[in-house]
Structure formats: C-alpha cells, structure tokens
C-alpha cells in the first residue's frame, strides 16, 4: 500500500494537472486512513474551491486550520474562499492573520488589497498593492488589481499606466488589452481603444466581451452605425447578452427611437448595474389597468429617479391606486408633488395590495412610446415647499438681484469625474455684474470656494442652513428661489429641470453623456425649461462654459427688465 506522503504527492500532481476527480479520490483515501490529516483537508478544500463549491471548501479548510491554525498558506486560501462567498470583512481579518505571521507575503498583501477594494476602502487597497509590488516587482496580477482600484477611484491615467505595464509583460493577453481599451474609452480616447480591441480580436476572434467593448468605443467615437453593427455581432454569438441589449437600447433612446429603445433597455433588469434589487413579489406591469395597487420603484441613482418620476402623474388612470418607492431623501418632496400617490422611502414597509409592479424606467415603454407622448410641463412636475422657497428668495434677492445657482460636480461612481468641472471654470459667468451666485453643489465645497475667492475675488455663497446633500426638499426650495441654474449633468440638473426652473446643463463628451440628454438638439422633452449644451471632443469645461456666457448674460438682462405685461 502507498505511504500517505506518496499518496498526497500523487494527488497534488493530479490536481495541478487539472485531474480533479482522480485527485479527490486520493485525498479522500488519505482522510479515510487519517481523518485529521492537515494537508489532505487543506488540499481537498482547495480542490473543492477550484471546482466551484466554495461552501464545502470553507468547511474543509476550516477543519484543517483547527489542526494547524497558523499555517499561512491555508489561512490565505481560507480568505480567498471567504472572498468568493462575498464575506469580505472576514476575509480581511484572515489576511491580517496571515500578515501577522509573515509581513512579507506579497500574495497576502494582494488579496488583502482586493478585500479592501470590495469594501470600497480604495486608498487602503492601493497601499496594499504598492507594498506587494515592492516585495514582488512587476507581478501582473497585482498590477491588474492596482489598475482596477485606480479605475474605481476615477484615476484613469494611472490605471491605464498599470494596464500598460501588464501589457508589456503579457503582450498577447486579451484581458489586458481589454483593460487598456476600456480605460481609454473612459478617457474618451476612442481610436486608441479601438486599436486595443482590434488586437484582442486578432488573438481571440469572436470574443463577445471584446466585441461588446469595441462597440462602446465606436459609440464614443460617434460612429453609431458601426457600434450597433458590433453589438449585432455580439448578439449573433450570444443572444442573451443582457448588457449588450441594454446598450443597444441606450443608443436607440439617445437618437429618439423610443419604440426600439425601451424594449431593448428592459434588459438592464438582467444586468448587475441596478442599484436596487428587482421586485419579484408581484407581476411586472404590462400597461393594462391594475385592479389594486400598482407599485413603481426607483432602481438607479437620484437623478434617474427624479427624471423617470415625471411619468408618475400619468399612472393615475392605470390603477385603483399607485405606490411609489424611492430613495428616502426624495420621499418628502415627492409626497407633496404627487398627492394622489403613496410615496414610500426605500426600506419602509410596502402596501399589501400590490397587484403589479414596475421599475420607474420601465414605465417609458407604455407612457413615453414616442416624442409626441411627452407632456410639455413648462412649470415642471415637482412642487417645492412654497413658504421655504419664498423665505429663501427674500434672503437672496432683497433688492431685486438676479440669483444664479451653480453646481459643478457629479458623484456618479463610474463616470462622475468625466462629468465634473472646477468652480474656477465658471469664471466668465461669475464676472457678470449685478448677480448673486449661490452654491447648489452637494458635498463639501469650502476649499474650492475659498480658493476661487483668494485667486479672483469672486464669491459663490453657501447657505449653511440648507444641507444640499441630505435635505433635498430644502435644496428644491433653494433652487426655486434662484432665477437660473447653471450646472453640469448631475442630480442638481434633474432637480432644477423637474421644478421647471430655467436651467443650462453642460453635458460631457463621450462615455459620460447619458442617453436622456440625447444625441442632438438643445432642448429636453423631459424638462422643457432646460437648455442642453454638449461638450465637443477635446473641449475644456472652461471653454464650453465661456461659450454660454453671452446666453447667460442675455438671460440676466431680461430678468432685470422683464417685458411689460
């Protein structure tokens, strides 16, 4: 009979060759002889993890660690299994134990960085990757993880530099070419991105993810027909590619083909992009009358919930009653604006008599099937607190000053940096005489406002008793108290548009141009009082804002001297 060490060595050799079933038999044979054999439990756990059964793998490696709790490799693998089970805080604690045993273990530092990145502790993750690269310079896996974390921080040039390092090490690795290409797309360097994707397709023809990425790059290059053709190639190979269907829908919506657009956009509900978990306790609304309560629920960010809530008033004739579930910060404002609708903040109990439900954007296929179906609500569809708005107006314009509200930052986690300007970019507007400029930006803006004042003497005021981040009802009143809002594409733009406030919104070029600002035209069917100004390729924020200064000046003059009634 084979000795246990020989059996283990043979099993490990089989495992390394991918012959998992044969290796498993040998590990089980060892464990039958010695149920507490540390190596057999550990390696069988690792094999089980390789096979995709993380729960069983966790039990096996845990059993091994009871025998030898300080074996660094087993602790490292235990952490990897915990990470696979999305138990990232426990995985982080596991990696900390490994590093307490061996502080110079690059694999543990890399894994710890990944756990921190999953927990959105990106700066700490970067520190881990940097330490790992000091110990193991040029490690491709760590460089990729570092690049991914930099990408999540919107530090795209640095992320691209990491991916390019990997590309030098692994020039024929298609995943690295895709990483480079996707970073270039986010940097609006579409032609360079296309070269990466084309090279990846030479190495791996017909790869659906690369084709999908290539289609997105073509869209950023404004080559819409070629982009759609690329997406068609993806669907020919993989008809249920949800993200591709969704992106096709966004193209059609952006060019105003709502019939095709809404249909394809429904595939978003099968992607991982939704911020809310889809409701499945009631049938999806099919456009017919609901005998009972119809629930509409917010699925994406604040701006999207505000935009799609424009369809909520139309639901009155489609159900006995309507309930609306939204981000809690919107609940008070929406309850005032839609008095016949039961508005519920996310996390609160829902009504019991729900007979059908719909994600907010899904209402579009029934309520906005064409451009002609958009009602022209000049005064908007949200109702601010009139008393608060009047009080704020008296404070802001005691002597008839023209009040302009400003917002310049987007906090969108994926593309926010691309949509964000600097307050100093607004200098041509801020120099208009006889105006009072009010900070509508959510988040802490003190440093930027102080820097502007020191450099130019220009003042943008912040009302400290209005919390622009947490109290959206008060922010809505503050917007109402302004004469004009000038903003980038963010929540403030949607809120101003929905309140019917004259607004100029500066929309980013390329990947960060969201579909509802459309491909052309300077008005918005969603918000009749909004004027859209689109950044062109290579145009700075300062340039596009300066180009609108005359328009804003004309508005100011008209506001000071309104036409006689």
């Amino acid at each position: 009979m084979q000795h246990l060490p020989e059996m283990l060595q043979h099993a490990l050799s089989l495992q390394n060759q991918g012959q998992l079933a044969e290796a498993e038999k040998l590990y089980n044979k060892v464990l039958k002889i010695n149920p507490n054999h540390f190596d057999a439990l550990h390696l069988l756990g690792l094999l089980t993890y390789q096979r995709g059964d993380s729960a069983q793998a966790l039990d096996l490696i845990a059993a091994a660690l009871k025998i030898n709790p300080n074996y660094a490799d087993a602790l490292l693998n235990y952490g990897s299994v915990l990470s696979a089970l999305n138990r990232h805080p426990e995985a982080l604690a596991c990696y900390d134990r490994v590093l307490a045993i061996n502080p110079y273990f690059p694999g543990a530092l890399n894994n710890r960085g990944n756990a921190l990145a999953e927990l959105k502790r990106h700066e700490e993750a970067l520190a881990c990757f940097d330490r790992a690269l000091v110990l193991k310079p040029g490690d491709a896996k760590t460089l990729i993880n570092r690049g991914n974390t930099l990408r999540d921080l919107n530090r795209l040039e640095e992320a691209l530099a990491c991916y390019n390092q990997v590309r030098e090490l692994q020039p024929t690795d298609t995943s690295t070419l895709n990483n480079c290409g996707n970073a270039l797309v986010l940097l609006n360097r579409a032609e360079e991105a296309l070269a990466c994707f084309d090279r990846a397709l030479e190495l791996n023809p017909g790869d659906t993810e690369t084709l999908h990425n290539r289609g997105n790059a073509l869209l950023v290059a404004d080559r819409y027909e070629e982009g759609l053709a690329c997406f068609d190639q993806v669907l020919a190979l993989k008809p249920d590619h949800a993200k591709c269907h969704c992106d096709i829908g966004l193209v059609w919506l952006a060019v105003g083909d709502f019939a095709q657009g809404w249909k394809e956009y429904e595939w978003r509900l099968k992607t991982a992009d939704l911020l809310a978990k889809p409701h499945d306790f009631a049938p999806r609304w099919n456009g017919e009358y609901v005998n009972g309560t119809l629930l509409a629920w917010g699925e994406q960010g604040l701006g999207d919930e505000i935009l799609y809530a424009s369809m909520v008033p139309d639901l009155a004739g489609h159900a006995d009653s309507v309930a609306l579930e939204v981000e809690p910060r919107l609940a008070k404002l929406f309850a005032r604006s839609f008095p016949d609708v039961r508005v519920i903040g996310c996390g609160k109990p829902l009504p019991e008599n729900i007979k059908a439900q719909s994600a907010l954007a899904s209402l579009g296929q029934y309520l906005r099937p064409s451009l002609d179906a958009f009602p022209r609500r000049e005064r908007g569809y949200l109702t601010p607190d009139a008393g608060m708005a009047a009080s704020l107006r008296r404070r802001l314009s005691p002597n008839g000053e023209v009040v302009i509200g400003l917002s310049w930052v987007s906090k969108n986690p994926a593309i926010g940096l691309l949509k964000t300007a600097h307050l100093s970019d607004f200098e041509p507007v801020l120099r208009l005489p006889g105006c009072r400029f009010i900070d509508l930006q959510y988040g802490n803006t003190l440093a930027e406002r102080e820097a502007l004042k020191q450099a130019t003497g220009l003042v943008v005021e912040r009302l400290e008793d209005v919390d622009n981040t947490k109290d959206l009802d008060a922010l809505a009143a503050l917007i109402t108290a302004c004469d004009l809002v000038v903003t980038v594409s963010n929540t403030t733009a949607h809120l101003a548009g929905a309140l019917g406030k004259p607004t100029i919104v500066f929309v980013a070029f390329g990947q960060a141009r969201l579909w509802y600002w459309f491909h052309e035209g300077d008005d918005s069917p969603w918000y009749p009082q909004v004027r859209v100004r689109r950044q062109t390729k290579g145009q700075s924020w300062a340039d596009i804002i300066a180009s609108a200064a005359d328009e804003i000046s004309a508005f100011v003059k008209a506001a000071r001297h309104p036409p006689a009634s």
Side-chain angles (χ1 to χ4, degrees):
M1 187 178 83
Q2 280 183 303
H3 293 297
L4 293 188
E6 294 171 347
M7 291 171 65
L8 278 172
Q9 189 61 42
H10 187 203
L12 182 57
S13 176
L14 290 168
Q15 185 175 353
N16 289 337
Q17 295 170 36
Q19 299 180 51
L20 301 185
E22 292 80 358
E24 183 178 14
K25 289 176 185 176
L26 283 175
Y27 289 135
N28 282 323
K29 193 172 181 181
V30 172
L31 289 170
K32 190 172 183 180
I33 298 168
N34 181 0
N36 294 316
H37 197 290
F38 171 80
D39 286 330
L41 286 166
H42 174 215
L43 293 171
L44 180 58
L46 189 57
L47 180 150
T48 308
Y49 174 53
Q50 289 175 270
R51 203 173 50 199
D53 188 346
S54 295
Q56 186 184 355
L58 198 69
D59 291 340
L60 287 163
I61 301 175
L65 286 169
K66 285 182 180 179
I67 300 163
N68 189 350
N70 294 318
Y71 192 82
D73 284 343
L75 280 167
L76 184 69
N77 290 329
Y78 191 66
S80 296
V81 179
L82 285 166
S83 291
L85 292 166
N86 293 318
R87 292 163 62 175
H88 301 296
E90 295 169 81
L92 182 61
C94 203
Y95 301 136
D96 286 340
R97 285 178 61 191
V98 177
L99 291 165
I101 297 166
N102 179 4
Y104 306 104
F105 194 157
L109 286 164
N110 177 64
N111 287 11
R112 186 176 191 271
N114 284 335
L116 287 164
E118 290 288 349
L119 294 168
K120 310 300 181 188
R121 294 161 60 179
H122 294 109
E123 296 294 346
E124 294 172 79
L126 282 179
C128 282
F129 298 136
D130 288 342
R131 276 186 63 200
L133 288 166
V134 169
L135 295 168
K136 191 177 181 181
D139 180 65
K141 185 184 296 185
T142 306
L143 283 167
I144 291 168
N145 293 333
R146 186 175 188 273
N148 292 342
T149 302
L150 288 163
R151 179 198 61 206
D152 291 341
L153 285 167
N154 277 319
R155 291 162 60 177
L156 299 173
E157 293 284 2
E158 295 171 81
L160 181 60
C162 276
Y163 297 144
N164 280 330
Q165 281 182 267
V166 181
R167 190 175 174 184
E168 289 178 9
L169 296 165
Q170 303 173 347
T172 59
D173 182 70
T174 56
S175 65
T176 300
L177 286 162
N178 273 282
N179 282 337
C180 289
N182 288 332
L184 288 162
V185 167
L186 287 170
L187 288 164
N188 290 328
R189 291 159 60 179
E191 298 303 328
E192 295 171 72
L194 286 168
C196 288
F197 298 135
D198 288 343
R199 175 59 179 149
L201 288 168
E202 287 176 12
L203 294 164
N204 188 9
D207 179 68
T208 55
E209 290 311 303
T210 305
L211 283 166
H212 180 227
N213 292 336
R214 187 176 187 274
N216 280 324
L218 287 163
L219 298 185
V220 171
D222 278 340
R223 293 158 62 179
Y224 274 52
E225 289 187 9
E226 293 173 81
L228 285 172
C230 223
F231 292 152
D232 287 341
Q233 285 181 269
V234 174
L235 296 181
L237 295 164
K238 192 175 180 181
D240 60 349
H241 194 299
K243 190 68 172 67
C244 191
H245 277 288
C246 178
D247 287 342
I248 290 171
L250 292 172
V251 173
W252 289 121
L253 288 170
V255 298
D257 188 332
F258 295 100
Q260 289 196 75
W262 291 125
K263 179 182 176 183
E264 292 291 322
Y265 191 47
E266 282 300 284
W267 282 82
R268 77 196 180 285
L269 299 173
K270 297 183 180 182
T271 72
D273 293 346
L274 292 186
L275 297 180
K277 183 180 178 181
H279 292 317
D280 56 6
F281 52 78
R284 289 174 63 183
W285 186 48
N286 60 7
E288 296 182 358
Y289 190 89
V290 177
N291 294 305
T293 297
L294 168 59
L295 171 70
W297 50 275
E299 60 187 280
Q300 300 177 42
L302 281 168
D304 290 80
E305 290 195 13
I306 293 167
L307 178 93
Y308 295 124
S310 62
M311 295 183 279
V312 168
D314 298 26
L315 292 175
H318 292 277
D320 291 346
S321 62
V322 176
L324 174 62
E325 183 188 39
V326 293
E327 216 268 16
R329 286 177 289 172
L330 292 170
K332 186 177 181 180
L333 176 61
F334 279 15
R336 182 188 306 111
S337 304
F338 311 128
D340 297 327
V341 173
R342 180 174 175 181
V343 178
I344 305 148
C346 291
K348 300 290 185 181
L350 296 172
E352 295 183 358
N353 191 35
I354 295 172
K355 299 300 183 183
Q357 54 79 24
S358 175
L360 270 176
S362 296
L363 300 174
Q365 60 190 313
Y366 305 112
L367 303 178
R368 301 291 182 269
S370 67
L371 199 58
D372 293 338
F374 282 78
R376 191 165 180 85
R377 299 189 179 111
E378 299 286 350
R379 297 187 178 183
Y381 52 88
L382 294 185
T383 305
D385 181 322
M388 188 188 303
S391 175
L392 288 168
R393 179 65 188 181
R394 288 191 293 270
R395 285 172 59 186
L396 296 175
S397 184
N399 299 307
E401 297 90 341
V402 175
V403 181
I404 299 179
L406 300 177
S407 184
W408 59 95
V409 176
S410 167
K411 299 290 187 180
N412 183 298
I415 54 175
L417 189 64
L418 300 175
K419 299 199 295 170
T420 293
H422 295 292
L423 182 56
S424 57
D425 293 328
F426 287 76
E427 185 174 343
V429 176
L430 293 168
R431 292 197 177 279
L432 292 174
C435 296
R436 191 170 182 181
F437 297 97
I438 303 300
D439 180 0
L440 302 178
Q441 182 59 53
Y442 39 88
N444 188 342
T445 65
L446 178 61
E448 203 166 356
R449 287 183 289 112
E450 285 296 322
L452 177 77
K453 184 177 179 180
Q454 289 291 326
T456 66
L458 299 170
V459 174
V460 175
E461 300 176 62
R462 177 87 168 200
L463 299 192
E464 298 301 336
D465 55 331
V466 174
D467 189 329
N468 292 351
T469 303
K470 296 179 181 178
D471 192 349
L472 295 187
D473 195 42
L475 178 59
L478 180 58
I479 288 170
T480 302
C482 295
D483 293 291
L484 174 70
V485 171
V486 180
T487 179
V488 298
S489 167
N490 61 10
T491 298
T492 304
H494 291 286
L495 198 52
L499 289 161
K501 180 59 55 180
T503 301
I504 295 175
V505 57
F506 297 108
V507 178
F509 174 81
Q511 185 80 351
R513 180 175 298 169
L514 298 171
W515 81 263
Y516 40 70
W517 301 124
F518 296 96
H519 187 57
E520 56 187 23
D522 63 0
D523 58 353
S524 167
W526 298 100
Y527 309 124
Q529 294 290 356
V530 168
R531 292 296 168 263
V532 180
R533 299 293 174 259
R534 297 179 189 81
Q535 190 181 42
T536 58
K537 184 176 181 180
Q539 185 180 33
S540 69
W541 287 111
D543 283 347
I544 186 176
I545 293 167
S547 72
D550 288 344
E551 179 182 2
I552 296 168
S553 178
F555 179 93
V556 170
K557 290 176 183 176
R560 285 203 198 104
H561 306 287
S565 56

